Amino acid sequence: MSVEIKLSRSNRTYRPNDPLRGNIITRLPSSISHRGIHLTLNASVNLQVRGGSAGFIESIYGVLKPIRIVKKSIQVQPSGKISAGTTQIPFSIILNDGGKDDKFYETFHGENISIQYLLNVDVVRGYLHKSLSATVEFIVESEFAILPISPEMVFFYITQDTQRHSLLPELKSGGFKISGRICTQCLVSDPLVGELTVEASAVPVYSIDIHLLRVESIMVGENIATETSIVQTTQAPNIFFLT
């Protein structure tokens, strides 16, 4: 016997004002009695250390406890029976019902920090039988994600004087200059666009790698702890050399 939660949206993505709808699906070899079917929505901000190399955030791992964002519980059905075979039980939960303590943030799965929304179902069967349970994660998206964002291009330049790491002697003496611009405001679902120009370089340029970094911050007292990790590395597809 088993129980499953199937949400109405295949991508499991919702906004705070959307109703969370779906079906509780039970598959039973024979009918069973139960003492109620309950749904619980849990959302929390968690600090998680992966691989034991999270720097300063790792040092405060034992200090910070999970922060609960939302917790709601509803009874889908009172005590009764579920027939043998496959049964679908519909449900609907309002995420943002106006509760003053409810705060919704976008789902986030970072290297050290996560914001997660989980929906759990329990078919309570009494003391002599183990409850049937299942959990599914759904994604909460910002209400502003559907609004158009005005692109904001930021200009930048890179030279031997802007670098903090060690450089080849040829670059130190001969120098280089790279200029460009990049859009700093965009939706997560949209491409990150920009352009760059290698204006001068004392050594040949064979490839250009672009790193997308994730910056995570935690407020600890009056200080902010920040960790940076690489999300994606992409090689610039088109390089044109001018002579």
Side-chain angles (χ1 to χ4, degrees), residues 12 18 50 70-71 97 117 136 144 146 155 161 164 185 206 222 238:
R12 296 180 288 115
D18 292 342
R50 299 177 179 177
V70 181
K71 184 172 184 179
D97 58 6
Y117 294 82
V136 65
F144 303 103
I146 59 175
F155 291 86
D161 298 326
R164 298 180 180 178
Q185 293 190 69
Y206 296 104
E222 297 180 353
N238 298 313

Side-chain angles (χ1 to χ4, degrees), residues 47-50 52-61 64 108-113 212-220 223-231:
L47 179 67
Q48 53 195 11
V49 176
R50 299 177 179 177
S53 60
F56 181 72
I57 287 184
E58 182 181 14
S59 67
I60 59 175
Y61 174 68
L64 299 180
F108 178 76
H109 290 284
E111 185 72 15
N112 307 297
I113 304 167
L212 178 63
L213 304 178
R214 176 197 295 118
V215 179
E216 301 172 72
S217 300
I218 298 176
M219 181 71 73
V220 184
N223 300 316
I224 298 178
T226 300
E227 295 286 347
T228 302
S229 56
I230 295 179
V231 177

Side-chain angles (χ1 to χ4, degrees), residues 101-162:
D101 296 329
D102 291 349
K103 296 180 180 179
F104 289 89
Y105 304 95
E106 282 198 326
T107 294
F108 178 76
H109 290 284
E111 185 72 15
N112 307 297
I113 304 167
S114 70
I115 301 176
Q116 191 174 36
Y117 294 82
L118 299 173
L119 185 64
N120 179 264
V121 61
D122 287 300
V123 181
V124 183
R125 302 184 61 202
Y127 297 107
L128 300 179
H129 301 279
K130 185 177 179 180
S131 297
L132 300 178
S133 301
T135 302
V136 65
E137 180 181 7
F138 62 95
I139 311 301
V140 170
E141 189 177 63
S142 170
E143 294 176 317
F144 303 103
I146 59 175
L147 300 178
I149 295 179
S150 299
E152 180 177 327
M153 302 299 292
V154 172
F155 291 86
F156 65 88
Y157 71 93
I158 306 171
T159 68
Q160 68 278 4
D161 298 326
T162 64

Side-chain angles (χ1 to χ4, degrees), residues 1-19:
M1 58 181 66
S2 65
V3 62
E4 174 190 0
I5 300 174
K6 188 175 182 63
L7 297 176
S8 60
R9 299 180 182 179
S10 58
N11 61 3
R12 296 180 288 115
T13 301
Y14 298 83
R15 296 189 177 91
N17 291 323
D18 292 342

Side-chain angles (χ1 to χ4, degrees), residues 15-82:
R15 296 189 177 91
N17 291 323
D18 292 342
L20 190 66
R21 294 192 179 102
N23 288 288
I24 300 167
I25 302 174
T26 59
R27 297 178 177 88
L28 307 173
S30 59
S31 62
I32 63 170
S33 298
H34 64 84
R35 296 189 176 182
I37 301 176
H38 303 272
L39 275 176
T40 304
L41 189 158
N42 284 295
S44 61
V45 181
N46 296 282
L47 179 67
Q48 53 195 11
V49 176
R50 299 177 179 177
S53 60
F56 181 72
I57 287 184
E58 182 181 14
S59 67
I60 59 175
Y61 174 68
V63 178
L64 299 180
K65 297 181 180 180
I67 301 172
R68 190 177 73 184
I69 304 175
V70 181
K71 184 172 184 179
K72 300 178 185 294
S73 296
I74 65 168
Q75 185 182 66
V76 180
Q77 281 191 1
S79 300
K81 287 188 176 183
I82 304 177

